[in-house]
Amino acid sequence: MEGFLVALAVSFGVIFVAELGDKSQLMALTFATRFRTVPVLIGITVATAVVHLVSVAIGYGLGATLPTGWISLVAGLAFLGFGAWTLRGDTLTEEEKRKAERSTKSAVFAVGVAFFLAELGDKTMLATITLATQYGWFGTWIGSTIGMVAADALAILVGRMLGRRLPEKTIKYGAAILFAICGLWLILDAVDQLT
């Protein structure tokens, strides 16, 4: 049970931070201006659960076949990369904005499909794969899914309260720093294991 709770807490925190300022939050805000909040969150949850289940399967499989020291080193470097990616920032393309605005089908279906496609290969998917190499798959899956949905729900709530004026720079730098700290911690752990 302790391993599950650690995986849950770590994956929740990492994915919540990774999602801050991500294009998925912008999509959530866009959909929330067109549809009611609950169907938007249901669509986000379903899509996230599916993508992150695939992610943990990949990560757990890698973790079972590769030595943990090297996995920690690669994971640490990946987290440093995620920090740099966060500093670069994400924006919605014009096509993604149009899809979110013109969707006329069921809100849950429209949001679910859009989020599923947007998350394939995104940093939160890659971070989930990385986490699953280190922690149990079930706790990582639940924690990463809840972390992403919580971050997107927060974006919708704060966006509505502040009229979509989020302190983007502060969020971006804070998330990048947290990724860098996690990355350095994993690299130090890897060096300790490999020496």
Side-chain angles (χ1 to χ4, degrees), residues 75-87:
L77 294 172
F79 273 77
L80 292 177
F82 297 149
W85 188 345
T86 300
L87 284 176

Side-chain angles (χ1 to χ4, degrees), residues 118-133:
E119 286 305 304
L120 293 177
D122 194 52
K123 70 182 171 195
T124 51
M125 181 182 184
L126 299 174
T128 302
I129 291 170
T130 304
L131 289 166
T133 64

